[in-house]
Amino acid sequence: MVTTAAPGSLAALLDAFHATLHLGVRPRRLADAQRAVENELARRCWPVVVVRDAHLLRTEALLYVYALWSLFQERERRMPVVLVGPERIRSVLRRPSLASLESCVFIWHRLAP
């Protein structure tokens, strides 16, 4: 299981993934950083990604989370992604640019205080 806090931008999210996955220093090019994260997750047995404070992610970072999930849907070992955040995460996911991400939410669960 890979658990990371959602720091906002795509670059910051990739920094968090690199630290959590123990990949060392993130490559300067975002495409190289993304490829390193994807390769490491593919190498792991039954990966699960949990993103805390997902409501703080910018659209580009959420789209990358969706791309990660989509990438693993084509494989035998599907990768669940868990987005954790307060109730307002629903309004974040309702952005028109995130319609594809919102459409693949299987379970909404609200914890009582």
Side-chain angles (χ1 to χ4, degrees), residues 25-84:
V25 178
R26 180 180 63 80
R28 293 176 75 78
R29 292 185 51 221
L30 289 182
D32 294 338
Q34 291 171 341
R35 194 172 312 107
V37 167
E38 292 158 11
N39 289 340
E40 179 61 23
L41 289 172
R43 189 185 69 72
R44 294 183 178 216
C45 213
W46 301 105
V48 175
V49 172
V50 178
V51 181
R52 292 180 288 124
D53 298 325
H55 63 290
L56 300 176
L57 281 177
R58 294 184 187 146
T59 299
E60 66 176 347
L62 284 166
L63 288 172
Y64 178 66
V65 170
Y66 173 69
L68 264 181
W69 177 84
S70 295
L71 177 69
F72 280 82
Q73 295 312 300
E74 300 168 4
R75 298 177 183 215
E76 184 178 328
R77 296 175 306 177
R78 293 186 173 184
M79 181 182 70
V81 174
V82 179
L83 301 176
V84 180

Side-chain angles (χ1 to χ4, degrees), residues 12-23:
L13 178 65
L14 289 170
D15 285 340
F17 272 127
H18 272 260
T20 302
L21 294 168
H22 306 289
L23 297 175

